Amino acid sequence: MADHGESRVAHPGLITFSVMLATVMQVLDTTIVNVALPHMQGALSATQDQIAWLLTSYIVATAIATPLTGWASGRLGRKRVFMWSVAVFTLMSLFCGIAGSLSEMVLFRILQGIAGAALVPLSQSILLDAYPREKHGSAMALWGVGIMIGPILGPTLGGYLTEYANWRWVFFINLPVGVLAWVMIGSFVSETRRHRDIPFDMIGFAFLSLGIGALQLMLDRGERLDWFDSGEIVVEAALALLGFYIFTAHAATTQHPFLSLRLLADRNYATSLLFIFIVGIILFATLALMPPFMEQLLGYPVLMTGLLLAPRGLGTMISMMVVGRLMARIDPRWIIITGFLLTAESLWEMSGFNLDVSDWDLVRTGIVQGLGLGAIFVPLSAIAYATLEPEYRNEAASVFSLLRNLGSSVGISIMVAQISRSMQENHLTIAESINPFNPWFWQQGMQPVLDPASQSGLAVLNAMVVRQAGLIAYTNDFVVMMWLALLTAPLVLMLKERPAGGK
């Protein structure tokens, strides 16, 4: 059986293809369902709040189960855990597709999230072991394509399947992919050594799960419940703080913690966790904001929105392929800084969007942002493990994926909350100037359609105010993310240029 190390393995290309099938399937599933929710709501006779649990249950289950990956793969074997994860995820996709009630669907989504939690971190550690250290940049480029493309293509594919087939096909599409991935993983991926003496830290796992679960619930439900004006959100915030505090204190004092804090002693890895958290904020917050911006404010249909956002993935793919080759020649830190600057430049252009923005401007800024995020993701994913011992890769990869997911949850929650609050403030400010004494009305010739004294005129004016208030809110969010990218760029120099000890 294979052990962690730098030894060459047979069929690295086939190993890459097999694990990437599973990774893309899992990552795609995080966004492909979003488009189908309105159709599922009617079919399952659910309210809007109830149908949202299909997303919440999956996200919370995945977040809680992700840290288990390191312990399970060490105790049971990485290949065995990976194959079971693919099998259960595929089976739960089938059950989700044939579910007849909301309760069934929520149960299957929870099990699907638990099974899928291991796929992303294990695929990363398998690829790191499949290639020699000098090719880790290229390996992480291939892995990054799946991680970054899935969320971008999800809404497009989900919209197409829902429009021309049935919402159930957003789950059925996983079946052939999962079966093929399972067969290929069983054929080409080698098993790792099993460490049966690894104890399970139940206390650490319980309090970490409490912290993660409570935090995810708070972030997911905060906007709907008006944040800390809700007793539920206050309780969830308190439980999250309590869980993380007790977990940290326990991990620092017990002999065999659930997650080793020694990982944070590696400067490259600890710093990379900060950066991947920020990448999660920028990438997923932007992906969450663009569809409603284009559909609600600009009037694009779902399919056209997906098509105009898809070129962002093209920019990511190009960037990752190029960067994977450049890493052996250029200091990876400068590539990451360039990526943050490209991302900031695209967000600066997006902050100048208006209600007449052209299709080309939407595509062009998306491509530039894709180039930037690709330039960040590949070297960051490689440099995070450059000075880390190979035996820590499974555990480190699970924490790396967890921080990326938490970043996306935090980013989406903060940016959506900011938009909601900003829209109300902007609406109030703009509405104050809507009166017959405003010179703008005289410039319009006091058209009856804009007469605030009539019901129809008031409705038209309100619609205009809502769109303008929304535009200002969205562009303000783009400015915030731009500054986040700019302020993060110099911190990249905290990373070590070359691994210590000649590694």
Side-chain angles (χ1 to χ4, degrees), residues 62-82:
T62 301
I64 291 175
T66 296
L68 271 172
T69 303
W71 177 87
S73 58
R75 184 70 180 266
L76 306 175
R78 186 170 61 190
K79 177 180 178 179
R80 183 176 286 104
V81 172
F82 201 78

Side-chain angles (χ1 to χ4, degrees), residues 269-339:
Y269 181 74
T271 309
S272 296
L273 292 181
L274 170 65
F275 293 141
I276 200 62
F277 182 83
I278 294 172
V279 169
I281 292 176
I282 296 174
L283 169 64
F284 288 94
T286 306
L287 289 175
L289 295 183
M290 287 306 293
F293 172 76
M294 295 172 65
E295 293 168 18
Q296 298 172 12
L297 295 186
L298 305 183
Y300 285 100
V302 174
L303 282 181
M304 180 58 70
T305 298
L307 290 174
L308 291 176
L309 291 178
R312 182 190 307 266
L314 178 62
T316 302
M317 290 181 62
I318 294 173
S319 178
M320 286 181 169
M321 294 298 102
V322 172
V323 167
R325 297 179 179 274
L326 288 178
M327 281 183 59
R329 306 173 186 175
I330 302 176
D331 185 344
R333 297 178 302 172
W334 293 110
I335 298 177
I336 297 174
I337 290 174
T338 301

